[in-house]
Amino acid sequence: MALEDHAVRACLAAQGIQEETTRLAAEVKDRDGIDPRLRVGLNSGQVIAGEIGSGALGYTAVGEQVGMAQRMESVATPGGVMLSASTARLVEGTATLGEPEMVHIKGSDQPVTAQRLLGVPERDRRVAGAESTLVGRRWEMAAIEALLERGVDHHGAVVAVVGSPGIGKSRLVREVTALAAARGVEVFTGYCQSHTSDIPFYAVARLLRAASGLRGLDDTAARAQVRAQAPDADPEDLLLFEDLLGIADPEMAVPKIDPDARRRRLTALVNTASLARKAPVIYVIEDAHWIDEVSESMLADFLTVIPQTSSLVLITYRPEYTGALSRVPGTQSIALTPLSDPETATLVSQLLGPDPSVGELGQMIAERAAGNPFFAEEMARDLAERGVLRGQRGTYMSTVDVAEVSVPATVQATIAARIDRLDLAGKRTLSAAAVIGSKFSRDLLETLGIDPVLNDLVGGELIDQITFTGDPAYVFHHPLIRTVAYESQLKSDRAGLHRRLAAAVEKREPGSIGENSALIAEHLEAAGDLREAYVWHLRAGEWATIRDKAAACLSWERARQIADAMPYDVPDRVAMRIAPPTLLCGNGFRAHLAIGARFEELQELCSAAGDKASLAIGMAGLIMEHFVYGRVRTAARLASEHMALIESIGDPTLTIGLSLGAIATKIQSAEMGVVLGWSQNVIELAQGDPARGNAIVGSPLAVALATRGTARWALGRAGWRTDLEEAVATARGTEPWSHAMVVTYKYLGAIPNGILLADDAALREIDEALRIAERSSDDRALGLARLTNGIALVHRDSPADRERGFDVLGQVREMCLQDQYYPSDLPVADVWAARERARRGDRDGALPRLRDAVDDLFHAGQFGHFGTATGALVQTLVAGAAEGDIAEAVEAIDRLAAAPGDKGLISREIHLLRLRALLAQARGDEARYRDFRDRYRAMAKQFGFEGHIAWAEAMP
């Protein structure tokens, strides 16, 4: 059985063994001339204990920790007791230890820390280390302080402070007693301890000794003091009282009376003294859940007169305690709940300090502590002892980037002891629940063959019920309770439960098999069934692909870890290792993953296995990562290599699915002839099937129609309008990403480029895509739809629409800065937000943002947006008509004319005509203005570009 004070008990046992050995050694030496002495070694940690082997001594403990105890025994001095660092840590403040010393032990190249046990003195009070300022508990302190005031005014009270281990019961009591002591109120404390719960009178005797002021007195002096305090008491009652306190005169016979009569007389004596006392006093009974039965009964009797005195009694206990002291009439109960998140953060900040290096660790501690102050303090202390934190309490610095915040031994012992005190049914229920997870139900427990005992666990604050209808749901009261309940089980038992649970989940909900794939995979992995877990992780990723890319990537990452850990002799190990990084590289750009290092690993694996298809899938994702982070020049170079690789494979379905990223890249590099050819190839291979090749995008056909339409209007080819309309019609009903992408291709480039108008029909289509994206969990789809919506709105005539568009572009900007959407589109959003700002009259404020955004697009190689961005800049410059602005506009136009891209780009030529017309108008060159204007009007009408037609007609 686990006991939270097991280390103290071990020290007491070791001390007792050595005392008895010393006594026996004296007899042996006198008789045989031999001086026998023992060495004792102590170590703390988890072991396997039980009936192991056969014979009378079959019950034993085995494990690494037993071996360390033996090593400690080997370095102990004869007649001494040596403690390992783990045990010394657990008895700190209770036992008296020697200085830490470095000792060499068998099996270790490096010396280890050990400390000698010098003694375990009986203490009337506990030694507390440095404490942080009390956080929270304002209401509780105010309530107890008010009761103290009433007590001083002769209206005594009994207050029960109830809470789970570590929640702050003792800390609150210390704060109250310090406050009382500062006011001159005496405080007497009695501690109950788990190893004394079977010793009759232990708790009551020590509380009465403290209240009688006997500390430090020998028995004779103590008896004299007792009699001086009660001069009118019956002599026989005083003999009974002295016997209770353990100070009886051995020469005086204790009255032989019935136990019930003895108790009545002692109660009368103590209560009479309480009623006679005039000075206010506080009595504290700590940890009443460990009180011995006799003390409990007697103290309950003593407390009946407290309301008639100037006394305040504080009793602390855990929720599972239901003994007599929890039922004293008139008791005021204060139940301590976990600290709030801000309060926990404040506490952790006090513990660690303000240094930036401890920020991430502080968040981890706060999260794992879940509002329990003791747990937070012990985690911080554990990290300091492990060297993760350096410095002093409150001024720590972290020596590593990240660290595991584990369950400290002190916390583990506290929780394990509570679990081990449960009956067998309670333990089985809690163990099975820990395997299920942080949330579980009665039905699922019964599926595992468990007859659940839940009410007792709820009453003991080990679990909480969170729903009460249907099949009620439960959660662990604290995350660390689940951790300890889980880790304290034998691995074989745990694996069996995980295996049964995986089978149960699969069988119970066959219709939700995709949704439950990740859960099944987790349980199979925990059971050690790694190959099966690998398959289920891949299935989970496939199910999540169109629902949540981040969740899908998490499942694929778990599959990758399993595959990498497989033994080298597994026949298909290489194929198992290739599949997960292929999926991660192909999809990771939509889940904020850094693909570069993963792709290098994939490239190495695929080269060794001759797997071109997997390499092509991963490369598609690498191209998109460069693309969305504005590295278009690199992406365009890789796109050409990628398409050559795809062609060498010769798989139509693969070609359809993997061409779209390369096509998008070439649009931005303004290689529209390539875009047209690649798009046409995808359309032909799809053979009218919208879903063919949908490994990355829901409808490659819809996207390819949109990109062909884009290439056609950019090159001045016929058929672009039909392509765009068919693309949107094909994308309807597919997943949000495809729909958003197609609508973006139709309008995001076409409206600023003057191809289409931002009319009501366009707004309806864009709004439809936006609503679909908002209902999805795909931030990238939402960002695309918002950007398209914002640009369309700022191209409307209505001031209200343009105001709304300006706000939407601000939302897109925030998404880009928070990496929720493509950073490459940040300058695009900035261009049109700044242009709108200039239209409102803030030209001076808009120009710096416009200049920066246009430069960013140029240097990133985003020439698909560069032309329209340059147009926005030139329009803003020529509106000022200053000489410097005109010169800058000329430079901008010349840079656009010389920008990389296909020769004969109609979309660029018509922009240049318009901008040169505006420039000539600003210079007052009427002849050149009319020439450019007329040529511009004719070109707009020739190609049917609606926006340009409207802009040209608006020119005077």
Side-chain angles (χ1 to χ4, degrees):
M1 171 180 281
L3 298 165
E4 59 196 88
D5 63 344
H6 71 267
V8 175
R9 291 177 182 236
C11 289
L12 289 169
Q15 183 175 263
I17 289 171
Q18 291 293 27
E19 289 172 354
E20 184 64 17
T21 300
T22 300
R23 186 187 65 78
L24 291 173
E27 296 179 10
V28 173
K29 186 174 184 178
D30 290 342
R31 188 184 66 224
D32 302 323
I34 299 173
D35 185 15
R37 286 189 288 175
L38 296 180
R39 293 191 300 262
V40 178
L42 299 179
N43 181 50
S44 298
Q46 292 192 0
V47 298
I48 297 174
E51 296 288 344
I52 301 173
S54 59
L57 300 179
Y59 187 91
T60 188
V62 295
E64 178 185 351
Q65 307 303 335
V66 177
M68 178 56 79
Q70 292 171 335
R71 301 294 178 260
M72 289 295 103
E73 179 269 326
S74 70
V75 296
T77 58
V81 181
M82 186 67 83
L83 278 60
S84 69
S86 61
T87 303
R89 169 72 179 84
L90 292 168
V91 299
E92 191 176 37
T94 301
T96 304
L97 305 177
E99 290 298 317
E101 50 188 285
M102 304 304 294
V103 298
H104 291 273
I105 61 173
K106 181 180 178 181
S108 175
D109 295 333
Q110 300 296 323
V112 299
T113 304
Q115 288 181 264
R116 300 170 188 264
L117 176 65
L118 304 180
V120 187
E122 183 175 328
R123 298 180 184 272
D124 292 329
R125 65 191 68 211
R126 293 177 183 175
V127 178
E131 291 187 317
S132 54
T133 304
L134 182 67
V135 175
R137 310 305 185 206
R138 293 181 180 177
W139 177 87
E140 293 89 343
M141 279 294 297
I144 298 177
E145 189 173 355
L147 290 170
L148 175 61
E149 293 291 344
R150 282 178 53 81
V152 170
D153 197 29
H154 212 73
H155 296 286
V158 178
V159 180
V161 181
V162 187
S164 54
I167 204 67
K169 301 183 295 296
S170 297
R171 181 71 175 86
L172 182 66
V173 167
R174 288 196 295 274
E175 201 76 17
V176 172
T177 54
L179 180 66
R183 297 183 181 183
V185 177
E186 285 194 280
V187 178
F188 302 119
T189 303
Y191 298 106
C192 307
Q193 302 179 63
S194 68
H195 62 272
T196 63
S197 58
D198 294 327
I199 303 176
F201 303 105
Y202 184 89
V204 68
R206 275 148 185 78
L207 180 61
L208 292 175
R209 284 176 65 92
S212 300
L214 307 185
R215 185 179 184 189
L217 300 180
D218 60 28
D219 288 354
T220 302
R223 289 194 297 272
Q225 177 143 320
V226 166
R227 292 177 180 273
Q229 290 173 347
D232 299 326
D234 185 298
E236 283 196 350
D237 289 347
L238 289 176
L239 289 173
L240 294 173
F241 189 65
E242 291 165 358
D243 180 61
L244 173 64
L245 300 184
I247 60 172
D249 186 344
E251 302 298 326
M252 297 289 292
V254 177
K256 296 181 179 180
I257 60 176
D258 178 77
D260 289 339
R262 173 193 288 256
R263 177 172 153 178
R264 284 194 299 270
R265 292 175 67 171
L266 285 170
T267 299
L269 177 66
V270 172
N271 287 351
T272 298
S274 296
L275 291 168
R277 184 182 181 103
K278 302 302 181 184
V281 63
I282 290 182
Y283 298 103
V284 178
I285 304 170
E286 281 261 37
D287 296 330
H289 44 274
W290 285 329
I291 196 167
D292 62 276
E293 188 176 345
V294 177
S295 294
E296 178 184 53
S297 178
M298 294 186 70
L299 285 170
D301 290 340
F302 296 163
L303 298 182
T304 57
V305 300
I306 291 299
Q308 305 167 48
T309 69
S310 298
S311 307
L312 179 67
V313 179
L314 298 176
I315 310 172
T316 69
Y317 54 82
R318 295 176 182 173
E320 60 265 29
Y321 173 69
T322 58
L325 296 185
S326 70
R327 303 190 302 270
V328 175
T331 297
Q332 306 288 324
S333 290
I334 295 178
L336 297 187
T337 58
L339 299 178
S340 66
D341 289 345
E343 290 169 344
T344 305
T346 299
L347 173 62
V348 173
S349 178
Q350 288 183 14
L351 295 171
L352 301 187
D355 193 89
S357 65
V358 302
E360 186 175 350
L361 274 178
Q363 293 175 5
M364 294 170 65
I365 291 172
E367 182 179 337
R368 293 214 72 185
N372 189 295
F374 173 68
F375 293 174
E377 291 169 355
E378 291 302 301
M379 287 177 196
R381 187 170 181 174
D382 178 67
L383 289 170
E385 291 176 350
R386 287 161 47 195
V388 175
L389 296 175
R390 295 290 176 87
Q392 301 298 317
R393 181 185 176 122
T395 57
Y396 285 123
M397 296 179 64
S398 177
T399 60
V400 295
D401 291 335
V402 293
E404 180 185 356
V405 180
S406 54
V407 183
T410 47
V411 176
Q412 198 276 342
T414 298
I415 297 173
R418 294 185 70 202
I419 294 172
D420 264 6
R421 281 194 292 273
L422 297 170
D423 59 22
L424 181 59
K427 288 180 187 176
R428 282 172 55 83
T429 301
L430 202 67
S431 296
V435 169
I436 293 172
S438 57
K439 183 179 178 182
F440 54 94
S441 67
R442 173 183 289 274
D443 183 46
L444 203 49
L445 286 167
E446 290 172 343
T447 302
L448 291 176
I450 303 296
D451 185 11
V453 178
L454 298 169
N455 289 339
D456 291 347
L457 299 181
V458 171
E461 292 191 6
L462 291 165
I463 65 174
D464 297 319
Q465 185 173 349
I466 57 172
T467 64
F468 296 85
T469 58
D471 184 20
Y474 299 84
V475 295
F476 282 86
H477 186 70
H478 192 283
L480 294 185
I481 295 176
R482 186 207 167 204
T483 300
V484 174
Y486 182 84
E487 294 178 351
S488 62
Q489 299 176 60
L490 290 176
K491 287 185 178 179
S492 58
D493 293 345
R494 217 161 53 200
L497 283 171
H498 277 297
R499 197 171 289 114
R500 285 156 55 192
L501 190 57
V505 172
E506 183 178 0
K507 183 178 179 181
R508 288 173 74 229
E509 302 179 52
S512 303
I513 203 69
E515 182 179 355
N516 291 327
S517 295
L519 179 61
I520 294 170
E522 291 288 342
H523 286 298
L524 288 171
E525 185 176 348
D529 300 341
L530 298 184
R531 183 177 287 276
E532 292 83 354
Y534 171 87
V535 172
W536 280 99
H537 277 308
L538 291 182
R539 290 181 66 175
E542 180 183 3
W543 179 85
T545 299
I546 62 172
R547 296 170 176 84
D548 189 327
K549 272 291 191 289
C553 287
L554 181 60
S555 292
W556 293 327
E557 177 63 25
R558 296 297 294 273
R560 185 194 68 79
Q561 293 169 1
I562 291 174
D564 287 351
M566 282 287 183
Y568 286 94
D569 57 354
V570 172
D572 54 349
R573 181 174 183 268
V574 174
M576 290 179 68
R577 292 190 66 199
I578 287 175
T582 299
L583 294 165
L584 285 166
C585 290
N587 297 273
F589 73 95
R590 290 174 60 189
H592 315 289
L593 291 184
I595 297 173
R598 289 179 170 87
F599 181 75
E600 290 178 6
E601 176 192 2
L602 176 64
Q603 196 170 27
E604 183 178 337
L605 290 168
C606 290
S607 297
D611 187 346
K612 288 185 177 181
S614 295
L615 182 62
I617 294 170
M619 195 172 186
L622 180 65
I623 290 169
M624 288 306 298
E625 180 187 44
H626 287 299
F627 177 81
V628 302
Y629 284 99
R631 302 187 290 268
V632 175
R633 297 177 193 273
T634 302
R637 176 180 55 79
L638 286 173
S640 297
E641 297 176 14
H642 186 231
M643 292 306 294
L645 175 62
I646 292 172
E647 289 174 6
S648 72
I649 297 171
D651 183 334
T653 302
L654 197 67
T655 301
I656 295 169
L658 300 184
S659 298
L660 302 181
I663 291 172
T665 300
K666 293 298 186 179
I667 289 175
Q668 281 305 310
S669 62
E671 297 176 68
M672 289 301 182
V674 174
V675 171
L676 183 61
W678 288 355
S679 299
Q680 182 65 36
N681 188 40
V682 170
I683 292 167
E684 291 174 358
L685 290 174
Q687 297 178 343
D689 183 353
R692 190 175 187 191
N694 63 349
I696 297 176
V697 174
S699 178
L701 175 59
V703 177
L705 285 166
T707 56
R708 186 176 71 177
T710 300
R712 280 175 165 172
W713 60 248
L715 294 167
R717 307 282 179 86
W720 59 265
R721 190 184 301 274
T722 301
D723 279 347
L724 296 179
E725 290 172 354
E726 286 185 8
V728 173
T730 304
R732 283 197 176 93
T734 62
E735 43 90 28
W737 173 247
S738 295
H739 196 172
M741 191 183 301
V742 167
V743 171
T744 296
Y745 275 127
K746 181 174 181 180
Y747 292 111
L748 182 61
I751 289 175
N753 271 290
I755 311 302
L756 294 173
L757 289 170
D759 56 18
D760 291 346
L763 259 293
R764 282 195 296 272
E765 280 193 352
I766 295 170
D767 286 342
E768 179 189 9
L770 180 58
R771 286 193 299 273
I772 293 172
E774 286 174 339
R775 291 196 298 268
S776 75
S777 61
D778 195 327
D779 285 342
R780 308 292 169 154
L782 178 60
L784 272 176
R786 279 181 176 172
L787 181 63
T788 307
N789 180 247
I791 289 176
L793 287 169
V794 297
H795 279 82
R796 302 269 286 182
D797 293 329
S798 163
D801 284 341
R802 296 206 308 273
E803 175 72 26
R804 189 155 59 93
F806 183 81
D807 292 339
V808 172
L809 291 171
Q811 295 172 10
V812 175
R813 187 171 210 281
E814 284 303 309
M815 291 182 71
C816 292
L817 293 175
Q818 296 173 21
D819 202 23
Q820 295 174 334
Y821 177 58
Y822 299 158
S824 61
D825 277 342
L826 175 59
V828 180
D830 282 350
V831 162
W832 297 110
R835 175 60 186 149
E836 177 58 27
R837 190 172 175 182
R839 290 177 70 182
R840 296 179 183 184
D842 186 11
R843 179 175 174 276
D844 292 339
L847 273 172
R849 178 69 62 84
L850 264 173
R851 291 184 183 114
D852 289 344
V854 172
D855 285 345
D856 287 345
L857 291 169
F858 180 82
H859 293 303
Q862 293 179 250
F863 299 112
H865 292 300
F866 179 65
T868 56
T870 299
L873 175 61
V874 169
Q875 285 178 269
T876 305
L877 288 168
V878 298
E883 184 175 341
D885 292 338
I886 297 297
E888 185 180 348
V890 171
E891 290 179 4
I893 293 171
D894 290 345
R895 185 165 70 164
L896 174 60
D902 287 347
K903 299 299 181 183
L905 281 176
I906 297 301
S907 58
R908 183 177 293 179
E909 290 178 8
I910 195 170
H911 258 301
L912 288 169
L913 277 175
R914 180 183 184 225
L915 296 180
R916 284 166 177 155
L918 294 174
L919 180 62
Q921 184 184 37
R923 283 173 161 170
D925 188 340
E926 190 65 24
R928 288 177 64 82
Y929 166 68
R930 283 198 297 270
D931 177 54
F932 284 129
R933 180 199 64 188
D934 293 344
R935 288 162 57 194
Y936 172 51
R937 283 177 176 172
M939 193 173 190
K941 290 177 181 178
Q942 176 187 350
F943 292 103
F945 294 162
E946 299 170 357
H948 282 300
I949 291 172
W951 296 337
E953 290 301 322
M955 285 181 167

